[in-house]
Amino acid sequence: MADITRRLGWRHLRGAPTAHIRHHRSGRLVHDGPGLSFWYRSLSAALSEIPVDDRELAMTFHARTSDFQDVAVQATVTYRVSDPATAAVRLDFSIDPDTGVWRGAPLEQLSTLLTETAQQHALDVLARTTLASALVDGVAAVRERVASGLAAEPRLPATGIEIVAVRVVALRPEPEVERALRTPAREQIQQEADRATYERRAVAVERERAIAENELASQIELARREEQLVEQRGTNARREAEERASADAVKAGAEAARTVRLTEAEAERTVRLAEAEATRSVKLAEAEAERQVRLSEAEARAARAVGEARAEAQAAWLRVHAEVDAATLNALTATRLAENLPRIDSVTVSPDVLTGLLSRLGGTGDPA
């Protein structure tokens, strides 16, 4: 839409580069071209704005195939206005000089024209095609037929319209028919999947069998090698036992020889020790005998000396006692007796006992 500005009874129009502006004043063409900018008076101006850019027209319509099945066609037509002067004459592209808004609906007219024309050619080609063929090759056939039909349509060049491209997006049957058509394909796909599953299982079984055979062969080879290993171990054990026996025999011989040598050395040492011990014992015995003899002689001499001394002491004692009177002897006897008596804390002596004792000591009393 053109940008219109008001200034003191004048109007200023500024168009877009993709919009072709035609300005008539008093029936005379004053301005003609895209992207114009000019001043005008709204009471004397007649303005038209024709878009010259490429425009996309999406359309969806239903058609019926030769086997009476409904299909939905989704297509897109790209067009542009190649002759703005012709299009402005054939269609109402006039705009309000005050607001710049189209007075009519030219683009809707173009959409209706293009949609009906394309639909007519699509219906024509689908009416002679079965549903299966339409679903397989219908998109290309419908696109070619619509493109050729629009290119050959005389009304479009007469209106200043040029078709740029035609695209058919999809051809879809009704949902129930589409599900019915999908069933055989799904069954076939399922069968292919089942067959692939069976083949995969067969391959897996074959591989498992090969693996089992390999494992069995490996076990047989392992058993054979274990048998060889057992034999080798037995041989090694026998050889080791023989070598150990030989080593033990050598060791036993060496030990016996060493034992004999040690025994002989020990016997010789024992004999030497016995001889030394006997010699020492003899010497000790001789020394002990000599010491006993000397000791006996010394004891005899001491005994004789002691006897002689005792005899002399006894003789002297007897001589002394023979020369001393009886009272002195009695006193000495009492003294000796008192020395040998036990300790007496207190003694009670009656007059009769004291008299008798004194009488005995004096030798004058009555012995009774």
Side-chain angles (χ1 to χ4, degrees):
M1 185 177 64
D3 184 12
I4 297 178
T5 306
R6 300 180 182 182
R7 290 292 186 275
L8 301 175
W10 288 84
R11 305 290 185 268
H12 182 271
L13 183 144
R14 182 176 59 188
T18 58
H20 189 95
I21 305 297
R22 291 175 62 84
H23 176 208
H24 291 79
R25 185 175 59 205
S26 300
R28 185 170 56 90
L29 183 61
V30 180
H31 298 92
D32 184 16
L36 297 180
S37 178
F38 55 88
W39 291 91
Y40 65 93
R41 288 184 177 274
S42 61
L43 296 178
S44 61
L47 301 175
S48 298
E49 183 181 7
I50 305 95
V52 294
D53 57 337
D54 292 350
R55 293 185 172 261
E56 302 286 341
L57 175 61
M59 57 186 70
T60 301
F61 54 89
H62 291 271
R64 180 170 293 182
T65 61
S66 61
D67 50 358
F68 304 101
Q69 298 295 327
D70 290 338
V71 292
V73 181
Q74 296 179 1
T76 301
V77 176
T78 304
Y79 69 94
R80 67 184 181 88
V81 178
S82 60
D83 190 354
T86 303
V89 172
R90 300 296 298 272
L91 298 175
D92 185 10
F93 283 97
S94 61
I95 60 175
D96 190 319
D98 292 328
T99 61
V101 178
W102 277 318
R103 297 179 182 273
L107 296 182
E108 293 182 2
Q109 294 178 3
L110 282 177
S111 299
T112 302
L113 174 61
L114 294 175
T115 301
E116 291 179 353
T117 305
Q119 183 176 359
Q120 179 180 356
H121 293 289
L123 294 176
D124 187 21
V125 69
L126 290 174
R128 295 191 296 271
T129 306
T130 61
L131 178 61
S133 300
L135 294 178
V136 175
D137 301 323
V139 172
V142 171
R143 183 180 65 250
E144 293 177 358
R145 181 60 181 272
V146 170
S148 61
L150 291 177
E153 180 66 28
R155 186 179 176 184
L156 296 179
T159 313
I161 305 301
E162 179 183 356
I163 303 300
V164 178
V166 176
R167 297 187 301 275
V168 177
V169 180
L171 288 175
R172 295 186 178 276
E174 294 181 350
E176 296 81 3
V177 177
E178 187 173 4
R179 283 194 295 269
L181 292 174
R182 288 178 179 177
T183 301
R186 289 182 177 178
E187 293 294 335
Q188 185 177 359
I189 294 173
Q190 187 64 39
Q191 291 177 3
E192 293 293 335
D194 294 340
R195 184 169 65 255
T197 302
Y198 298 149
E199 291 178 356
R200 185 170 60 254
R201 290 180 179 176
V203 172
V205 170
E206 183 65 22
R207 290 181 179 177
E208 290 179 357
R209 183 183 63 80
I211 292 172
E213 291 179 355
N214 293 333
E215 290 179 352
L216 181 59
S218 300
Q219 292 178 0
I220 294 173
E221 181 66 19
L222 182 61
R224 185 178 63 81
R225 293 187 178 181
E226 287 181 353
E227 182 179 359
Q228 294 178 356
L229 181 60
V230 170
E231 293 178 357
Q232 186 64 34
R233 285 180 177 175
T235 304
N236 294 338
R238 287 193 299 272
R239 184 178 301 171
E240 185 178 357
E242 292 175 356
E243 292 178 356
R244 188 182 298 111
S246 300
D248 291 341
V250 173
K251 184 177 180 181
E255 188 68 23
R258 177 175 173 275
T259 303
V260 170
R261 289 194 298 270
L262 290 176
T263 303
E264 293 176 354
E266 185 67 23
E268 184 178 358
R269 189 175 65 85
T270 303
V271 170
R272 291 177 181 176
L273 289 176
E275 292 177 354
E277 186 66 23
T279 302
R280 192 173 66 86
S281 298
V282 170
K283 291 180 179 180
L284 289 176
E286 292 177 353
E288 184 66 22
E290 185 178 356
R291 190 178 65 82
Q292 291 292 334
V293 170
R294 291 177 180 176
L295 182 61
S296 298
E297 291 178 354
E299 288 179 353
R301 287 194 297 270
R304 284 196 299 271
V306 171
E308 291 176 356
R310 286 180 179 178
E312 291 179 358
Q314 188 69 25
W317 187 77
L318 291 176
R319 285 194 303 271
V320 171
H321 284 78
E323 294 176 359
V324 178
D325 58 357
T328 303
L329 294 175
N330 289 332
L332 292 172
T333 303
T335 303
R336 289 289 183 87
L337 180 63
E339 291 176 355
N340 294 324
L341 288 176
R343 182 180 179 181
I344 300 174
D345 294 333
S346 62
V347 177
T348 303
V349 180
S350 64
D352 295 335
V353 175
L354 182 59
T355 302
L357 179 59
L358 294 175
S359 295
R360 289 180 180 180
L361 292 175
T364 59
D366 189 2

